[in-house]
């Protein structure tokens, strides 16, 4: 009666053959698969459809968010992509688990043969299956009894030997394995797109960081050049009495001009050398 299970039960009930009055639904009549396969098909269809729908919703939300993040790197966009990546990781784990279970089941014919519950029940309920065996042997109340285990293993082996054709079930499982594998491929493609976006953002951040380092380098070079110029000004600005400054006031402008030219030349020389050595960009 769980809300998530009710739609599956209703779909299974819709697909089962209806019986009228005392008429028993005939196994195999208008019925491609036995009951257990129909129940399995409905369950797999519901799971695969649910996971595929969640994948489509995630793709619809993720691709625009990633494109927006590449155009504008902000805290809001980063947090949005982080939440989408977490949701994608959880969904990928669920899809991968379903895919692995189906793959393991398809790789083992004995496990698939064990799913033929109707045939097992028919073999156990037939008179031939209980011929020559006492009632207490077939319905031992102690499941741990060696006799019970031996009888159960013998009947199971006989059933699997007689009904060893798992082609119908294999076709059913392969169909949903293909569907769940396609869903997993979509998630892997989305993961690769997210990884590529992260690499692109890291490259952008590295480029901005390099630009800031270059700006800091230019500012440091400018500071060094101006410190030399300020040294000249500091020397001439000292309050020390000396006689050679008398009558030479016209030299002030030449000292300022020459000091500025020397500082600018020093700055340009260092920048040219750094660019020639590849220390800074062009």
């Amino acid at each position: 009666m769980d809300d998530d299970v009710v739609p599956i039960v209703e779909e299974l009930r819709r697909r089962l053959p209806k019986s009228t009055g005392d008429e028993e639904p005939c196994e195999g009549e208008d019925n491609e698969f036995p009951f257990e396969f129909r129940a399995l098909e409905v369950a797999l269809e519901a799971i695969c459809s649910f996971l595929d729908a969640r994948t489509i919703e995630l793709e619809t939300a993720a691709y625009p968010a990633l494109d927006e993040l590449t155009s504008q790197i902000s805290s809001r966009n980063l947090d949005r992509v982080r939440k989408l990546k977490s949701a994608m990781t959880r969904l990928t784990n669920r899809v991968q688990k379903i895919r692995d279970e189906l793959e393991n089941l398809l790789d083992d014919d004995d496990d698939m043969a064990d799913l033929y519950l109707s045939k097992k029940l028919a073999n156990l309920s037939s008179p031939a299956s209980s011929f020559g065996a006492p009632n207490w042997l077939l319905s031992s109340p102690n499941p741990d009894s060696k006799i019970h285990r031996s009888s159960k293993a013998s009947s199971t082996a006989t059933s699997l030997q007689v009904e060893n054709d798992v082609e119908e079930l294999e076709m059913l499982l392969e169909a949903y394995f293909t569907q769940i594998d396609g869903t997993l491929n979509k998630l892997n493609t989305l993961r690769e797109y997210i990884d590529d976006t992260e690499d692109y953002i890291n490259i952008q951040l590295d480029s901005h960081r390099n630009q800031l380092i270059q700006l800091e380098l230019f500012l440091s070079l400018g500071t060094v050049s101006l410190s030399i110029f300020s040294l000249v000004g500091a020397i001439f600005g000292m309050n020390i009495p000396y006689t050679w400054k008398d009558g030479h006031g016209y030299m002030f402008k030449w000292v300022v001009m020459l000091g500025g030219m020397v500082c600018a030349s020093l700055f340009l020389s260092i920048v040219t050398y750094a660019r020639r050595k590849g220390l800074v960009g062009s």
Side-chain angles (χ1 to χ4, degrees):
M1 300 306 296
D2 189 88
D3 293 337
D4 296 330
V5 182
V6 168
I8 301 177
V9 175
E10 293 297 331
E11 178 65 19
L12 175 60
R13 185 174 298 163
R14 186 185 66 82
R15 295 189 184 187
L16 291 177
K18 296 180 175 58
S19 58
T20 57
D22 296 334
E23 182 182 356
E24 293 289 338
C26 182
E27 184 69 34
E29 180 181 355
D30 296 332
N31 196 4
E32 183 180 358
F33 295 121
F35 169 78
E36 62 270 18
F37 289 176
R38 287 184 174 268
L40 179 62
E41 181 182 13
V42 172
L44 289 176
E45 180 179 349
I47 293 173
C48 294
S49 300
F50 173 80
L51 295 177
D52 188 66
R54 298 291 82 78
T55 301
I56 294 176
E57 291 179 2
L58 187 61
E59 287 179 330
T60 305
Y63 285 114
L66 292 171
D67 294 337
E68 184 178 356
L69 180 61
T70 55
S71 61
Q72 181 182 4
I73 302 175
S74 62
S75 300
R76 184 181 65 86
N77 292 335
L78 287 172
D79 184 67
R80 181 182 177 189
V81 172
R82 179 187 62 82
K83 293 179 180 178
L84 290 173
K85 187 175 181 180
S86 299
M88 183 204 66
T89 301
R90 293 192 298 268
L91 184 59
T92 301
N93 292 335
R94 298 179 64 181
V95 173
Q96 184 67 51
K97 184 177 181 180
I98 299 297
R99 182 189 180 280
D100 292 342
E101 292 297 335
L102 290 177
E103 185 177 12
N104 294 334
L105 190 59
L106 285 170
D107 291 340
D108 196 335
D109 291 342
D110 292 337
D111 288 343
M112 285 191 290
D114 288 338
L115 294 178
Y116 282 79
L117 305 180
S118 298
K119 293 180 180 180
K120 283 185 178 182
L121 182 61
N123 291 333
L124 291 176
S125 60
S126 62
S129 62
S130 58
F131 177 77
N135 294 331
W136 60 267
L137 183 60
L138 295 177
S139 59
S140 175
N142 184 8
D144 296 330
S145 173
K146 294 183 179 180
I147 299 178
H148 178 80
R149 291 200 302 266
S150 177
S151 174
K152 182 178 179 181
S154 177
S155 60
T156 304
T158 304
S159 176
L160 294 179
Q161 184 177 4
V162 175
E163 306 292 347
N164 197 24
D165 186 13
V166 295
E167 183 178 357
E168 293 181 353
L169 178 58
E170 188 174 4
M171 293 175 59
L172 174 64
L173 294 178
E174 283 180 349
Y176 289 101
F177 177 81
T178 303
Q179 182 177 351
I180 202 69
D181 189 61
T183 303
L184 184 61
N185 290 334
K186 292 181 182 178
L187 292 173
N188 290 332
T189 303
L190 180 58
R191 178 182 292 277
E192 293 177 357
Y193 193 83
I194 293 177
D195 293 338
D196 293 340
T197 303
E198 290 179 347
D199 294 339
Y200 176 75
I201 292 174
N202 290 331
I203 293 174
Q204 279 190 330
L205 294 177
D206 291 339
S207 177
H208 294 162
R209 191 179 300 110
N210 292 334
Q211 292 176 0
L212 291 175
I213 293 174
Q214 291 184 18
L215 178 60
E216 183 181 2
L217 177 61
F218 290 147
L219 292 176
S220 299
L221 292 176
T223 303
V224 172
S225 301
L226 290 177
S227 64
I228 298 176
F229 184 77
S230 64
L231 176 62
V232 177
I235 293 175
F236 280 91
M238 292 181 181
N239 293 325
I240 300 176
Y242 47 89
T243 58
W244 61 269
K245 71 177 182 178
D246 297 336
H248 297 82
Y250 65 92
M251 293 295 295
F252 175 77
K253 61 179 181 181
W254 293 107
V255 171
V256 172
M257 292 174 60
L258 183 61
M261 292 175 61
V262 170
C263 293
S265 300
L266 178 62
F267 177 79
L268 293 176
S269 299
I270 297 176
V271 171
T272 302
Y273 175 79
R275 287 182 176 177
R276 184 177 299 175
K277 294 297 183 179
L279 300 178
V280 295
S282 57

